[in-house]
Each structure stands twice: as structure tokens, then as C-alpha cells.
Amino acid sequence: MSEPTPEAAAPAKASSAPPPAAAAAGHDHGHGDGHHGHSQYPHLAHHFDTPQQQFDAGKLGIWLFLLTEVLFFAGLFCAYTVYRAIRPEVFVYAHYYLDTTMGAINTCVLLLSSLTAAWAVRNAQLGQHSLLKLNIAITIACACTFMVVKYFEYSHKVHDGLLWGPNFAPKVPVWELESFKKKHPEAAEYAHKLAEHSKQKGAAATGAVPATAAAGPAVPLATGSQAVIPPLASGSAAPIPSPVAHVDAPPTGSSPAPAASAAPAGAASAAAPAAAAPAALAAAAAPAANTAPPALAPLPKPSRAALEPLLKAGLVGEKAEQREGISRPRNAHVFFGIYFFMTGLHGLHVLIGIGIFIWMFVKAQKGVFGPNYFGPIDYSALYWHLVDLIWIYLFPLLYLIH
Amino acid sequence: MAHEHHEAGDKQFFGHGEVHDGQADHGLAHTMPLPLLFGILGALLVLTVVTVSVTSIDLGQQGNLIVAMVIATIKAGLVITFFMHLRWDRIFHLILFLTSVLFVILFLSMTITDRGEYERDIESFRNAQQQAEKK
């Protein structure tokens, strides 16, 4: 534990404030006056003249790196922006699945770690060795806390089937979520009724009531309820793409079911994904089906307050025939693709940050940092602040959608 | 604890805050005073609370997004200016950073405009597709 650079040996520039005249001389960064031998600065690389030059070169380097990082993330922010512009309802729909509390906790944790990182730079500059180590340790601890919270968030997502692409199969429909119920109690209630209603109607229309009842539970809840939703054959000439026009097509990619009209004939095709065999059965049961529907009273007209949140989340459409059923907006899985990519890349940066700060801790343990050599701490902290910066934007964009 | 660096004037163009009061300068770069560090953290936390609580208020179609982005940008500004020392750093680093921001804005706005440009084509394609599916 040797103190490499005694304070007294620091160049005149550091030890005392230069007279105003010298400061005003200005544009000299210390190349002119202080050509001390390198032996005085054990951490000065041989290709630099002064610690100042070394520090400035490193700082320029880290800023250039941060610049590329900003552009790197910009690609993902661009994907987000474009998709949100195209399909705002998907974002409204999906954000109910995110845990704002966890996101807010992580925001605070990262902000705190940013403080300790900035403080660590100060400690290094002032040669406060034990405080430096403490602040680096707190930064690492905060970064780990962030990752632990992220782990819980991710495992909930995996558990609830909230994944990207064809893996997207939410176990719980959005209107059954606590976050949705809390925000829009009426809408949640109405959506529940609507889902039940269309389920019954679908069951009745397919004719083979016991058969579908038996087949129903085999499919996961969400897909099950969707399968029986009367296909939302939307007004074809809709000037705006109807957000709810289609239920997500199964990953097989066959031409989507909604082609069928809502007429009884469509009932058979609604059941089509199941198998070809029951088709004849359904046709045979058709007369029976025709007698069943009258028993089903139409739902009362929902209040605007109940309907608004459903419209905004793309669960029902603007047109009357799009309100007979309820389904998640088309391509909702893209949100989770964006979510996992953005938070995952950010999380990777946090992991790298943990590695960097462990390295800095080891260096600090050796006591190498002081007024003439604190560049590595400064650069690490700058990187860490950028990671924080990206989260500052990610948090409202992903978690705080209105 | 007044850390008035404003009088440093144009010398800040070349950085390092060479005019200082006691603890501001320790050789290679400006040292952040502790009260300022904690003040910034406090401001950032308050803004986080604000941005979370403002979500529950309806501010119109794009209103909430705009407010959230404005708050995020203020937070980002605080982090860049103080935590990242840009307030006392070389102006060249600020220029570098702003250049990247400029290119991000160009990138986003061009993509958005481009996307809007083909909106109509995409619409007609989608409608035609739906028509075909109906038949």
C-alpha cells in the first residue's frame, strides 16, 4: 500500500491556484510549463508528456465512445418511435403488463448509483482512498440490485407468456390484470362481460356445445377465448386501419381466420384451426345452433368511460361490429420484442458496468488513484452515467404510457 | 459554499475551470462539490416522482408523451451537465455529444417522415388484402 504520488510532488498547477494572470494566459493546457520527468508520475504512460495530456486523451476517447453508444441505442429508439407512431394502441395495451413500481425502483437505484459514481470521481481526485472504495462498492451494489429487479421482471414476463414473436401467448387477458382493473374498473368489468358473452355466443354458434366446451380448456385461456371470438370482419373500406381487425394469426402463418364473416357460415371456420373433421359435425349441428342464439341477450350498451380504455388499447374497434367481441390488438407481440431488446441491451450495459467497476475497485484497492491519476474512474463514471441516461428515457417510454 | 464558476468566462472553452475557489481545482479537472452532487440527485429523484405521478393525469392524445419526454430530457440534461461534468469540461466534448444528439434527431425524424410518406400505399395495400380475404 504505497502512496505513489505524494501530494507535495504534484505539479505547481495542482497544488496552488495560479495567479489570475497565469490563468488568463489561457490556452495552454500545461504542456509548456511543467515538463517533469516521468518518474514523478508512475501512472503516466511513456507516450504522454504530462498527466494532463494523458487525462485529456482518455477523456476525448471516452466521449467518442459514448457518442457511438448514443447512436447505437438510437437504432432501437427509432424502432420504438416508428412502431409507436404506427400502432399506438399496442403500446397502451402492452404497458398494463409492465410493473411500474419495479421500473420506478430501478430508476431510483440507477440514479443513486450515478451519484456514487460521480462522488467516486471526486474521491479519486482528492485522494480519499477509503471513500473511493466505498463509493465504488455502492455503485456495484446498486448495479446488482438493478439486475436482480430486472431478473424478477423478466421471470414474470416469461411465466406470463409475455415474450416476443411467436412465443407471445399472454396467460391473462389484459382486462383481468390488476393494473388495468385499478385504472379502469368499469372497462375491466365490461370487457370481462364482453369476453364471456362472445365466448358463449361462439360456443352456441359452433353448435357442438359440449364438444367445444371440452375442447376449450385444452387451449390456454387467452387463445381459447380468442378462438371463439366472432371474427371481426371489419369494414373493409375503413380509411384508418382498424386496430382490432384481426386476432393474432397463429404462428403457422396460414391466411388469418378473420376472412370469415360473422354469419353462421363463419362459425365453422372459427373452429377450423381445431381440425378438419369437426367441420361436418358442425354443419350437421347447424340447425341446432340456429335455435340456440336467441337465448343470449345482447349486452347493454357500454358507457363511454367503459369503452374508452378498451378502444385506446385496441381491444375493441370503433365500428359497431367490432364491438361484438374483444381481442388483443394485432401484432401486440412486437411491443415485447422491442421491450426485451431495449431493456436487454441496457441490462447488458449494466452488466458490463459491474465488470468495469469491479476492475476499478481492484485498482482502487492498490491505491493507484490520486490527483494526478484518476482518469479510469472518471471514464468509468462517464460510461455509467450514459447507462443511467438511457434508462432515464427507457423508463417513461416503456413503463409510463398513458 | 458558493461555487460560482460563471466568472471563469471564456476560459471554460478550454475547460478545467482554472478559476476556482479552493476545492474546485485539483489539477487535471474540475472537482464536483458535494452539495451540488446531492442537490442534483434530489432534483432527479423529485423529477422521477413527478413523471410517475403525472401519468395518471390525462393530458390529451400526445400530451402525456410530450410531458414525459420533456421531464426525461430535463433529467438527462442534469446528468450530462453535472454528473458528467460537461458544465466544466471542454466545449469540444459538448460539441461531440450534441452532434450525436443531432444525428439521432435526424435519424428519427427522417424515418418518421419516410414512414408517413408511404402511409397511403400501406393503407391501400392493407385494405386490398382485407378485401381479398373477405372473398
Side-chain angles (χ1 to χ4, degrees):
Chain A
M1 289 311 248
S2 66
E3 186 62 45
T5 314
E7 295 279 334
K13 207 163 162 289
S15 57
S16 69
H27 306 171
D28 180 319
H29 306 139
H31 296 281
D33 56 327
H35 269 287
H36 301 278
H38 275 198
S39 60
Q40 203 173 348
Y41 307 109
H43 302 290
L44 182 60
H46 71 275
H47 52 287
F48 291 115
D49 285 339
T50 59
Q52 181 76 64
Q53 193 190 32
Q54 175 170 296
F55 175 75
D56 288 347
K59 194 109 171 179
L60 178 62
I62 192 71
W63 273 108
L64 284 171
F65 171 68
L66 296 186
L67 187 143
T68 65
E69 285 281 284
V70 169
L71 296 176
F72 179 35
F73 273 94
L76 289 175
F77 279 102
C78 189
Y80 176 96
T81 314
V82 169
Y83 202 64
R84 186 159 177 181
I86 301 173
R87 311 192 71 81
E89 75 278 357
V90 165
F91 289 78
V92 175
Y93 161 85
H95 99 278
Y96 292 110
Y97 284 106
L98 297 188
D99 193 334
T100 311
T101 318
M102 286 216 185
I105 290 171
N106 262 354
T107 307
C108 295
V109 164
L110 268 198
L111 288 177
L112 180 65
S113 73
S114 246
L115 170 93
T116 54
W119 195 354
V121 176
R122 181 190 154 87
N123 297 145
Q125 285 172 310
L126 300 176
Q128 300 164 330
H129 291 274
S130 45
L131 255 180
L132 170 64
K133 278 186 278 182
L134 179 68
N135 273 325
I136 293 176
I138 296 174
T139 308
I140 295 169
C142 285
C144 292
T145 311
F146 182 92
M147 288 316 291
V148 167
V149 172
K150 237 354 349 118
Y151 167 77
F152 282 118
E153 278 190 88
Y154 277 5
S155 53
H156 283 162
K157 298 272 169 311
V158 173
H159 181 259
D160 293 341
L162 304 167
L163 294 167
W164 54 88
N167 307 311
F168 182 67
K171 284 212 175 78
V172 184
V174 73
W175 56 88
E176 304 287 355
L177 291 173
E178 280 311 312
S179 58
F180 190 92
K181 283 182 182 167
K182 221 170 120 188
K183 260 187 195 160
H184 315 291
E186 295 165 64
E189 203 179 311
Y190 177 68
H192 182 77
K193 274 190 214 151
L194 194 59
E196 286 296 313
H197 186 82
S198 53
K199 206 177 197 168
Q200 285 168 17
K201 206 157 88 182
T206 18
V209 182
T212 35
V219 210
L221 181 69
T223 38
S225 65
Q226 279 191 353
V228 290
I229 290 169
L232 300 165
S234 63
S236 50
I240 306 162
S242 109
V244 282
H246 308 266
V247 166
D248 273 327
T252 47
S254 62
S255 91
S261 69
S269 68
L281 193 124
N290 285 344
T291 58
L296 215 64
L299 277 178
K301 218 170 155 48
S303 67
R304 197 68 200 166
L307 204 56
E308 197 73 33
L310 301 183
L311 280 169
K312 282 204 170 134
L315 296 166
V316 296
E318 280 291 350
K319 292 183 186 308
E321 70 262 27
Q322 292 169 356
R323 294 199 186 149
E324 285 167 17
I326 187 162
S327 66
R328 64 170 181 253
R330 190 165 48 137
N331 289 341
H333 60 84
V334 177
F335 175 89
F336 289 94
I338 291 173
Y339 166 84
F340 276 106
F341 211 140
M342 290 185 100
T343 58
L345 190 65
H346 179 266
L348 182 67
H349 278 78
V350 174
L351 284 179
I352 293 170
I354 292 174
I356 289 172
F357 276 107
I358 288 174
W359 177 23
M360 287 304 119
F361 188 84
V362 171
K363 283 191 95 166
Q365 195 91 42
K366 292 178 186 152
V368 299
F369 298 117
N372 285 312
Y373 184 66
F374 58 87
I377 298 281
D378 201 359
Y379 314 148
S380 314
L382 281 174
Y383 167 80
W384 192 248
H385 295 314
L386 188 89
V387 173
D388 186 23
L389 211 66
I390 288 158
W391 185 257
I392 283 176
Y393 280 99
L394 280 186
F395 174 57
L397 285 178
L398 293 174
Y399 291 79
L400 301 178
I401 295 164
H402 182 74
Chain B
M1 259 342 273
H3 279 275
E4 292 299 320
H5 295 276
H6 308 284
E7 72 273 12
D10 63 342
K11 270 183 297 307
Q12 280 183 8
F13 191 91
F14 294 94
H16 311 321
E18 301 204 1
V19 175
H20 39 256
D21 46 354
Q23 65 165 308
D25 182 39
H26 283 270
L28 306 183
H30 171 262
T31 308
M32 277 290 283
L34 275 184
L36 190 55
L37 277 181
F38 280 96
I40 297 301
L41 177 70
L44 288 170
L45 290 176
V46 167
L47 285 172
T48 305
V49 172
V50 170
T51 193
V52 170
S53 46
V54 88
T55 315
S56 54
I57 306 165
D58 188 9
L59 298 169
Q61 215 177 4
Q62 296 298 323
N64 286 86
L65 180 63
I66 291 166
V67 168
M69 285 302 96
V70 166
I71 293 175
T73 306
I74 294 170
K75 286 168 77 179
L78 288 176
V79 170
I80 293 163
T81 315
F82 298 101
F83 281 176
M84 295 174 95
H85 292 131
L86 261 190
R87 170 79 178 75
W88 299 276
D89 208 338
R90 287 164 185 256
I91 200 108
F92 183 61
H93 297 156
L94 178 67
I95 293 169
L96 277 184
F97 190 76
L98 291 182
T99 310
S100 75
V101 172
L102 175 74
F103 273 87
V104 171
I105 292 169
L106 275 176
F107 182 29
L108 291 186
S109 51
M110 279 182 174
T111 320
I112 287 289
T113 0
D114 191 51
R115 197 266 151 195
E117 199 65 26
Y118 299 103
E119 177 94 47
R120 206 168 289 193
D121 297 343
I122 295 168
E123 272 340 297
S124 51
F125 172 74
R126 202 171 277 159
N127 289 336
Q129 203 177 26
Q130 280 179 6
Q131 290 276 26
E133 278 168 3
K134 256 191 162 177
K135 277 168 195 163

